[in-house]
Structures are given as structure tokens and as C-alpha cells.
Amino acid sequence: MKKASLFLAGFLLLAGCSDDEATKEPAESAGTEEEPEIAVEQEGMTEEGFITQIGNGRILINSIYFSVPEDVEVQFAEGGETTEAVISDLRTGMKVKTDYTGPLAESYPMQGEADKITILQDEESKRQTDALQAFINEEQLSDLIILGQPLVRGEEIGFLFSKMETGELTEVRIDMNTLEYTLSNEENEEETDETEDAEE
């Protein structure tokens, strides 16, 4: 009888220990589930693109407005070398790389704050900048939003853009040698299709 009692007591003791272990495991796994929430801060984000608006203490790069604090770091970069620059060196049409801390405000355009702005001065970036500046000046565009990343094919740079006032979506292709460009949008394509149908 004593043996049976000792066996039962030992069994209950083991069962109690295993219950303790079982309750510890969920607590540990619950702790690991919280870790991704900390990573949502999105530090060290970068946006590369073209400045299409400057004013009121902010710049528009692609489809993101970045506020530019007075103490923001600005630099020129050519190859691996960088030199100091200032906010007043920024120009519409310039190709830049902007470092910022996310997340961005959910608006259109999205909004964030620039930590560092690097003006790209390599030969290819300069050619792209010249082409975009010539296009903006010729078309007198002051509210241009570039959608996505511009594509470079050979000697041509192309991208989709919209005007803030109208929201009209247009594609432009600019020859980086001659600075000549062609525009096309959905309305033009529809008119072309209608003309071709009428001719047939």
C-alpha cells in the first residue's frame, strides 16, 4: 500500500512539473511574437529619384513630400567621393538620394522628413538631370509627380507622371542627347485609335 502511495505521489509530482513546463512554453513563444512589432520603426530607408518641386520647407521626390529641416545634411556625391553642400544647392530636376526614417504618412503624395540628401553628380545622373530640367522648363510644369522609377533605355529616359491639379496621367520619353521629347496619354491614344478606325 505504501508503495502504491509513493508511486501515486511521484506520478502527481511529475505531472505537476510537466504542467509547469507547458505553461512556460506559451509565455516564451508569446514573447517572440512581439519582436516584429519593434522592427516596424523602419529606420534607414532611402528614396532615389528626381526633385520635381521645391518650396515651403519641403521637396517632392517621385511621389513623396520630404520636409527639409534647417540642419539637414546635404552633400554632393560623385563616384565614391562626397563633398559638403547646402539646401540652396537643391534644384528642380536634380537626381538625388534621400535618407529618411519611416514610416511615411499615408497621404497623396506621401510625407516624411529627410535626414540626409545626396545630390548625385556622376555623369549618367547629370545627363538625366539635364534632360528632366529641360523638359520641366519647356512644359512649365510646377506640379509634376513622377510615378514609379524612370526607365533609361540607351540614350532615352522615360517615366509616367501626373499633374496635381488635373490628375492626368502622361508618359514622357526624353532623348538625353538632343533633349527632345514625346508625350503620350490615354486621351491621345484614344483619339489616335478613333482616327485609325475612321480611316479604315
Side-chain angles (χ1 to χ4, degrees), residues 3-124:
K3 287 182 181 178
S5 299
L6 287 172
F7 177 77
L8 183 61
F11 178 77
L12 290 172
L13 182 63
L14 288 173
C17 291
S18 64
D19 285 346
D20 288 346
E21 291 299 318
T23 53
K24 285 179 187 175
E25 285 176 11
E28 287 172 5
S29 62
T32 55
E33 286 175 9
E34 291 175 9
E35 289 175 9
E37 291 178 11
I38 297 168
V40 173
E41 291 179 12
Q42 297 178 337
E43 293 185 5
M45 305 291 285
T46 300
E47 181 72 13
E48 183 173 313
F50 296 88
I51 300 174
T52 54
Q53 283 186 43
I54 300 176
N56 301 321
R58 62 184 188 172
I59 58 177
L60 178 63
I61 300 172
N62 299 335
S63 56
I64 304 173
Y65 268 126
F66 288 103
S67 60
V68 181
E70 290 181 8
D71 61 346
V72 71
E73 183 182 349
V74 184
Q75 64 182 14
F76 292 107
E78 184 176 355
E81 296 182 9
T82 60
T83 54
E84 191 176 333
V86 292
I87 294 173
S88 58
D89 288 322
L90 298 173
R91 298 280 184 275
T92 301
M94 278 183 165
K95 188 173 185 181
V96 297
K97 191 164 62 173
T98 303
D99 297 334
Y100 65 96
T101 303
L104 296 169
E106 293 295 327
S107 59
Y108 185 77
M110 292 185 289
Q111 298 181 51
E113 182 174 312
D115 296 328
K116 181 170 73 173
I117 303 169
T118 303
I119 303 167
L120 303 177
Q121 294 281 287
D122 58 277
E123 196 58 39
E124 188 60 26

